[in-house]
Amino acid sequence: MSSEFQSSQPIYMQIVDRIIIDILQEKQSLGGKMPSVREMAIKMGVNPNTIQRAYSELERMDIVETRRGQGTFVLENDDLLDQLRDSMQKEFIENYVQKMKEIGASNQQMISQLKRYLKEDE
Amino acid sequence: MSIKMEAVTKKYGKDYALKNVSISFEKGRIYGLIGPNGSGKSTALKLITGLAFPDEGSVSFNNQTVSRKTSDSIAYLTELDMFYETFTVQETIDYVASQFTDFNHEKATLLLKEMKLDTTKKVKTLSKGNRGRLKLVTTLARDAEVILLDEPFSGLDPLVRDSIVKSLLRYLDFDHQILLIATHEINEIEPLLDEAIAIYYGDIIGQEKVEELREEQGLSVLEWFKQLVEKFEGENK
C-alpha cells in the first residue's frame, strides 16, 4: 500500500494529521487548493469515503473550506499555522507523558530526562 | 442496486462451503470478504456470479435471482489464471472484449498504459506481476455494476499491489458500482474498505464498518478478525 497506518486510530484521523503536518511543513500552502478527494484517495491508496471524512473533519476544524464547484482550499488564516503547531506539540507531549507514566516515571524524571536528551542531542 | 444472499447453504459433497449465510451489498461501497484460505470466500463470489448455485437459500441481484443472465452485469476476477498462453496482451484484451458487451476499450487502453503493459507481448512471456496486472485490466475495463475480485494481490509484490490499488481507485465508478474483494491479506486491504465481512469455515462471524471499528473499538480489521476467530473457536469447541 502507498501509506502505512497505525492499527488503533481511525484512518481518517491519521490522514487529518498528515495533512496538518504537510501544512506545517509548507508542502501544502495556506490559501492553496487541496487535491480532489479522488486524487488524494489514489495518492494515499485509501477509500475515497475515508478521504471525504478527513476533509470534513478539517473543515470542522476551520483548516480548510470547500467552495462549491471549485474544490477544497486551505484557509488563508495567519493564526492558523501557529494554532496547528501548538496543538500538534501538545499532542506529542501528551503521548510522551502518557508513555512515561505507563512505565512509572515521575514528573521530575520526565523533565530531567528530556533535558538530558536535548543536551546530548546538541 | 444491491446483491442479497439469504440463508444460503452450499455443500461440496459432504463438506459445507457456506452455512446459512445472509449478507447484502449496496452500491457505492467497497467490501472486503476476509478469511483464511478455504473459508468459503471463493464460493460466495461464485454464487454471486452465477457460476455456482446454492443448495439452500437464495442469491439475488437487483431483486432477480442470480442466473447466467445476471452475470452480464458482474465482472469477476478469479483467483485462477485463465489466459490463452499464445495470445498477445492485445489479443487477450480483444478476446475478452468480444465476450462482454459492457467492455470499454477506452478504459482498457488507459489501464494498459497505467499498468505499463506491452500489448505486443505474448501472455506466456509475462512475469507473474504482469499477469496479475493483465487480469485486473480485463476485469476493470468492463462497465459492470458489480466487480468481484478474488485474491487480486495473491503472490504479487508490493509495487504491483500499489499499482493495482491505484487503478482500482482511479477507475471505480463510486456512484454506480459495488466492489467486493475476497482476500486473506487483511492488513493490505484495510485502507480500501468501507466494510469488512469476516468469514470463517463457512460461517459469517462478523460484519463491521471499518472506520467505526477503529473509532468505537480501537481495533484494526486484523485485530478484530483475530478476536472473532478466538471467540468462535471458544463457542464451538
Side-chain angles (χ1 to χ4, degrees), chain A residues 17-120:
Chain A
D17 283 348
R18 276 180 208 188
I19 292 171
I20 290 175
I21 290 170
D22 278 352
I23 296 172
L24 290 180
Q25 293 178 336
E26 294 173 29
K27 283 181 195 158
Q28 185 70 55
S29 60
L30 289 184
K33 190 172 188 284
M34 303 275 293
S36 71
V37 168
R38 179 78 70 128
E39 284 166 43
M40 195 61 133
I42 294 166
K43 192 175 143 201
M44 295 210 166
V46 305
N47 189 301
N49 290 327
T50 309
I51 302 289
Q52 185 56 59
R53 194 135 180 234
Y55 278 17
S56 302
E57 182 65 17
L58 286 164
E59 203 164 345
R60 201 189 57 76
M61 293 163 83
D62 284 328
I63 294 170
V64 304
E65 66 173 2
T66 300
R67 295 180 206 151
R68 195 187 283 186
Q70 294 184 58
T72 303
F73 293 80
V74 182
L75 286 177
E76 210 152 354
N77 177 352
D78 290 333
D79 298 330
L80 186 63
L81 276 180
D82 291 336
Q83 277 175 28
L84 289 178
R85 197 169 283 124
D86 194 58
S87 68
M88 195 111 285
Q89 285 174 359
K90 266 194 194 135
E91 201 182 309
F92 291 145
I93 292 171
E94 262 171 37
N95 281 339
Y96 170 72
V97 170
Q98 198 201 333
K99 293 265 178 220
M100 289 295 270
K101 272 188 181 156
E102 275 171 21
I103 56 163
S106 68
N107 289 0
Q108 263 314 313
Q109 282 169 321
M110 288 181 211
I111 296 168
S112 61
Q113 288 284 13
L114 188 60
K115 276 186 180 159
R116 192 188 302 164
Y117 180 83
L118 289 173
K119 241 179 217 162
E120 280 170 10

Side-chain angles (χ1 to χ4, degrees), chain A residues 1 6 9 12 38 47 49, chain B residues 169 172 192 194 211 214:
Chain A
M1 285 304 112
Q6 291 160 10
Q9 209 195 4
Y12 82 92
R38 179 78 70 128
N47 189 301
N49 290 327
Chain B
L169 289 168
L172 199 65
L192 267 183
D194 288 296
E211 286 288 55
R214 284 170 174 261

Side-chain angles (χ1 to χ4, degrees), chain A residues 1-15 38-51 53-54 57, chain B residues 28-30 153 158 161-162 165-166 168-174 187-194 210-211 214-215 218-220 223:
Chain A
M1 285 304 112
S2 315
S3 311
E4 299 292 327
F5 295 96
Q6 291 160 10
S7 64
S8 56
Q9 209 195 4
I11 293 172
Y12 82 92
M13 280 309 296
Q14 298 183 48
I15 291 169
R38 179 78 70 128
E39 284 166 43
M40 195 61 133
I42 294 166
K43 192 175 143 201
M44 295 210 166
V46 305
N47 189 301
N49 290 327
T50 309
I51 302 289
R53 194 135 180 234
E57 182 65 17
Chain B
R29 303 184 74 76
I30 304 180
F153 307 127
R161 282 176 194 202
D162 225 51
V165 165
K166 284 185 197 293
L168 272 178
L169 289 168
R170 197 182 300 275
Y171 293 103
L172 199 65
D173 179 352
F174 284 90
N187 272 337
E188 284 81 354
I189 202 73
E190 174 170 2
L192 267 183
L193 303 181
D194 288 296
V210 171
E211 286 288 55
R214 284 170 174 261
E215 217 164 4
L219 295 173
S220 70
E223 289 165 338

Side-chain angles (χ1 to χ4, degrees), chain B residues 17-231:
Chain B
L18 293 174
K19 283 176 240 168
N20 196 23
V21 162
S22 297
I23 22 172
S24 61
F25 306 95
E26 306 289 332
K27 75 173 176 186
R29 303 184 74 76
I30 304 180
Y31 296 89
L33 189 58
I34 59 171
N37 291 326
S39 57
K41 302 188 295 290
S42 298
T43 301
L45 295 195
K46 278 182 195 152
L47 291 171
I48 294 170
T49 56
L51 286 171
F53 297 96
D55 293 315
E56 285 166 45
S58 67
V59 185
S60 64
F61 172 65
N62 291 344
N63 301 318
Q64 263 187 303
T65 301
V66 162
S67 64
R68 292 305 298 152
K69 253 188 200 156
T70 54
S71 66
D72 273 355
S73 317
I74 297 169
Y76 170 54
L77 180 143
T78 73
E79 59 183 332
L80 305 170
D81 204 285
M82 306 247 279
F83 289 130
Y84 292 111
E85 297 284 322
T86 55
F87 278 15
T88 63
V89 169
Q90 190 58 52
E91 284 165 347
T92 304
I93 295 288
D94 294 341
Y95 171 69
V96 176
S98 72
Q99 299 303 303
F100 297 101
T101 51
D102 59 3
F103 195 88
N104 182 333
H105 275 282
E106 218 171 298
K107 227 181 189 177
T109 309
L110 287 170
L111 278 160
L112 286 169
K113 213 170 151 193
E114 193 171 296
M115 299 276 194
K116 296 191 177 67
L117 286 169
D118 180 348
T119 51
T120 63
K121 279 239 168 93
K122 283 219 157 102
V123 168
K124 65 180 171 196
T125 67
L126 295 181
S127 66
K128 192 166 183 188
N130 280 338
R131 287 177 91 106
R133 287 184 168 116
L134 180 58
K135 255 168 86 175
L136 200 82
V137 172
T138 57
T139 312
L140 282 188
R142 289 182 55 193
D143 290 325
E145 288 177 78
V146 182
I147 296 177
L148 306 175
L149 305 179
D150 198 356
E151 299 287 0
F153 307 127
S154 166
L156 303 179
D157 69 54
L159 289 176
V160 179
R161 282 176 194 202
D162 225 51
S163 65
I164 289 179
V165 165
K166 284 185 197 293
S167 297
L168 272 178
L169 289 168
R170 197 182 300 275
Y171 293 103
L172 199 65
D173 179 352
F174 284 90
D175 293 331
H176 303 103
Q177 289 182 314
I178 297 175
L179 174 60
L180 173 58
I181 305 171
T183 185
H184 63 272
E185 293 172 279
I186 300 175
N187 272 337
E188 284 81 354
I189 202 73
E190 174 170 2
L192 267 183
L193 303 181
D194 288 296
E195 284 183 42
I197 299 154
I199 184 167
Y200 193 67
Y201 300 110
D203 282 295
I204 301 286
I205 56 174
Q207 177 164 10
E208 289 283 349
K209 296 199 170 77
V210 171
E211 286 288 55
E212 280 177 16
L213 201 55
R214 284 170 174 261
E215 217 164 4
E216 288 160 20
Q217 302 185 42
L219 295 173
S220 70
V221 173
L222 183 60
E223 289 165 338
W224 168 73
F225 184 75
K226 283 180 178 165
Q227 279 192 6
L228 287 175
V229 167
E230 232 166 75
K231 197 173 144 226

